[in-house]
Amino acid sequence: MTASLDDTLAVTPPPVAPATATHALARLGLLRELDSPRQVFANITPNWFAAVMGTCIVGVAAAGLPVQFTGLRTLGTVGWAAAAVLLVALTAATVAHWVTHPARARSHHLDPVMAHFYGVPPMALLTVGAGSLLLGKDVLGLRVAVDVDWVLWFAGTVLGLAAAAVVPYLQFTRHDGVTARSAFGGWLMPVVPPMVSASTGALLIPHAPAGQARLTLLMACYAMFGLALIASLVVITLIWHRLAVHGVDEPRMVPTLWIVLGPLGQSVTAANLLGGVAAQALPRPYSTALQAFGVVYGVPVWGFALLWAGVAGAVTVRTARAGMPFSLTWWSFTFPVGTCVTATSGLALHTGADLFRYGAVVVFAGLVLAWVTVATRTARGSLRGTLLLPPGCAPTPTTVRGTRHGA
């Protein structure tokens, strides 16, 4: 089967005349573009959880920023708390979606675009879990924060590994209409969760029982690091080929170019976090080698991330000038950039270089600006109901294809 981007990515359609909405909430200015409040749960898709990831990464990045200033930890804690509330709300909405629209919910995995976003909920769980340990301990207490992180880490890891295996299998065997021109940043979503498990699992290693349990967790994290890294390199190559041969994506898909920064930044973060705790599970020289690996691997990949950010930024600006409609894909401007903040902070910690120390602050400022922009527009679209409209109310459907915009 084929799917339109409007159907799968909840693109904001043109405003509908308020007069068409007659329900009570519409008179209060809420959900006025929906025929009925019952439509709220009709189109809850996995990519909505990107809002949880994009919000929580602000808090996680703030907690590890090498330059701390007054109010930063409070900002981070608020970001984590908001993401936790949003995670609960979206989980409840997803359950309601499955109960009220089971046929539509069961069809997501066969959609060649939406299926890839089944990797988003696991990453949302993992990010909120990490935030609980880094920031939530100030509110919950260390013991509760550790327990919450363990639960969310195991749940996110199991779901993430399932997405990394099942979604590619479906793409290889069940999805129709997939060609080389179909490659886009979303293809990375199901294979990146194990990398997030690797980086967030590093935070739990000091809290794991010493001995074989701690060593097993460390080895599992490195195995997931390799799993996600190699799969991501394959997909990034396909995206590069697609861009070079077929041109830039349609305007509404351009934000997904930023997803490439996710596995790059998260891998550097994981390498440095795991290297930093390796000595708690492994003897020398292995622990020393793994700590050095964080820098030896991290700096070159950080350099490539800068290159990709430059290219993606130039394409985004060029597209925005011609018109880039708002959609949930705009959350691609947040979490991937946040992983670059944590990666830069990790390199600053292990090298002591001012380049990374102040570079992390600059990237963090960009992350906060992106989050404010995307969160504001998401809230507006949600309250109006434009992001919750059924697919049939979206503008002219388009498929994932390449176009070369005018120079």
Side-chain angles (χ1 to χ4, degrees), residues 216-272:
T216 299
L217 178 58
L218 180 67
M219 294 296 99
C221 287
Y222 270 110
M224 289 187 288
F225 170 91
L227 180 163
L229 176 62
I230 295 173
S232 295
L233 292 176
V234 171
V235 176
I236 292 171
T237 302
L238 293 174
I239 295 172
W240 188 294
H241 175 269
R242 179 251 189 278
L243 292 172
V245 176
H246 301 292
V248 177
D249 293 315
E250 291 195 8
R252 61 174 57 92
M253 292 301 291
V254 165
T256 65
L257 290 176
W258 292 82
I259 296 177
V260 173
L261 293 179
L264 298 177
Q266 197 67 256
S267 67
V268 177
T269 301
N272 281 279

Side-chain angles (χ1 to χ4, degrees), residues 69-85:
F69 49 85
T70 303
L72 183 61
R73 189 165 185 84
T74 300
L75 171 66
T77 303
V78 170
W80 160 76
V85 171

Side-chain angles (χ1 to χ4, degrees), residues 10 35 48 84 88 100 133 136 169 202 221 223 237 256 279 282 305 334 340 357-358 361 364:
D35 293 332
W48 272 95
V88 173
T100 58
L133 186 54
Y169 170 78
C221 287
T237 302
T256 65
L282 281 173
T334 56
C340 292
R357 186 165 179 260
Y358 295 109
V361 176
F364 180 74

Side-chain angles (χ1 to χ4, degrees), residues 173-196:
T173 62
R174 301 289 299 278
H175 293 166
D176 296 329
V178 178
T179 68
R181 300 183 67 176
S182 303
F184 76 114
W187 282 15
L188 288 164
M189 300 305 284
V191 299
V192 173
M195 186 67 79
V196 182

Side-chain angles (χ1 to χ4, degrees), residues 50-51 53-58 75 255 258 261 313 316 324 326-341 361-379:
M53 297 166 55
T55 299
C56 197
I57 196 64
V58 175
L75 171 66
W258 292 82
L261 293 179
T316 301
M324 188 169 65
F326 178 74
S327 72
L328 293 179
T329 61
W330 281 39
W331 282 101
S332 304
F333 295 136
T334 56
F335 185 81
V337 175
T339 67
C340 292
V341 178
V361 176
V362 172
V363 182
F364 180 74
L367 169 63
V368 172
L369 178 61
W371 181 86
V372 170
T373 301
V374 179
T376 299
R377 300 194 66 167
T378 301

